[in-house]
């Protein structure tokens, strides 16, 4: 089966639609989400409505948590953003958010927004030590996570349990494909649909082919100017629109 894994859509409807069109073109049969469908960008309701009808498994991100738990970030600007986001959402959207689990299993695949080590603490997986710890907290062959807004693949060897980074090198067609080796385990960040932070503004997601045993990271152009123009609706400054255009972090993390 072909499975699309999306993370950190962040209310970016233009990027979300570009990813879905690409996934459909690749005969995708199943869709999974790693959280943070809201926040930062200006189309939370449109993204939530599409997410509710599309995703077979869907976990809560820290932005969903911040909507339910005001002040989670400890930054007044973000509290304003969540106030405005709430005003743009329907009661049904908020009910969907309340029902999201922190972690899920789908056909033996672990899904989490930040790390399987205490999912509600929003720890980041960005280094080999953090990846080694994460491998200790799930049991299956695959765990997908998000939160860092940067694509990454970590592999744990079958023979000795050592962990290595597989570089995410995209080809000219916007793809990076690896073969999943029998017995090895993988920890994969598909990157961010709606707010990449790896100096590449293009939307990012992952495609898993369970028959061919391949994993493909994809990058796609979309109407970034249309998305950037809506950020002011969230109460965030223009620096967030500039960061979106450049594919950089607007927050320093």
């Amino acid at each position: 089966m072909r499975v699309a894994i999306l993370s950190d859509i962040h209310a970016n409807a233009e990027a979300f639609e570009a990813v879905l069109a690409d996934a459909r073109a690749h005969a995708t049969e199943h869709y999974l989400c790693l959280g943070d469908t809201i926040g930062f960008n200006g189309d939370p309701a449109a993204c939530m409505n599409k997410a509710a009808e599309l995703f077979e498994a869907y976990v809560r991100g820290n932005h969903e948590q911040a909507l339910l738990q005001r002040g989670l970030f400890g930054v007044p600007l973000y509290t304003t953003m969540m106030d405005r986001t709430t005003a743009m959402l329907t009661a049904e959207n908020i009910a969907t958010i309340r029902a999201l689990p922190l972690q899920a299993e789908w056909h033996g695949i672990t899904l989490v927004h930040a790390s399987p080590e205490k999912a509600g603490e929003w720890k980041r997986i960005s280094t080999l030590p953090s990846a080694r710890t994460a491998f200790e907290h799930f049991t299956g062959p695959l765990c997908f996570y998000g939160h860092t807004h940067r694509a990454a693949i970590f592999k744990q060897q079958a023979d000795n349990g050592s962990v290595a980074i597989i570089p995410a090198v995209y080809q000219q067609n916007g793809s990076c494909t690896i073969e999943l080796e029998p017995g090895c385990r993988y920890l994969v960040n598909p990157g961010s649909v709606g707010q990449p932070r790896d100096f590449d503004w293009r939307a990012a997601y992952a495609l898993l082919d369970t028959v061919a045993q391949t994993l493909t990271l994809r990058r796609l152009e979309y109407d970034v100017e249309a998305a950037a123009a809506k950020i002011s609706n969230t109460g965030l400054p223009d620096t967030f629109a500039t960061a979106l255009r450049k594919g950089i972090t607007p927050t320093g993390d």
Side-chain angles (χ1 to χ4, degrees), residues 170-176 202-203 205 216-220:
Y170 293 92
Q171 304 303 312
Q172 287 188 342
N173 65 355
S175 288
C176 169
R202 296 175 298 171
Y205 81 110
T216 300
L217 302 178
R218 297 278 293 151
R219 299 306 287 261
L220 301 158

Side-chain angles (χ1 to χ4, degrees), residues 125-133 135 145 152-168 178 181 184-189:
I125 302 171
S126 56
T127 63
L128 278 172
S130 61
R132 291 189 189 101
T133 298
F135 273 112
Y145 71 99
I153 305 172
F154 295 93
K155 180 174 75 170
Q156 186 179 59
Q157 295 287 357
D159 52 357
N160 59 16
S162 64
V163 176
I165 298 174
I166 300 177
I178 67 165
E181 299 178 26
C184 292
R185 301 171 70 220
Y186 295 86
L187 184 62
V188 180
N189 188 328

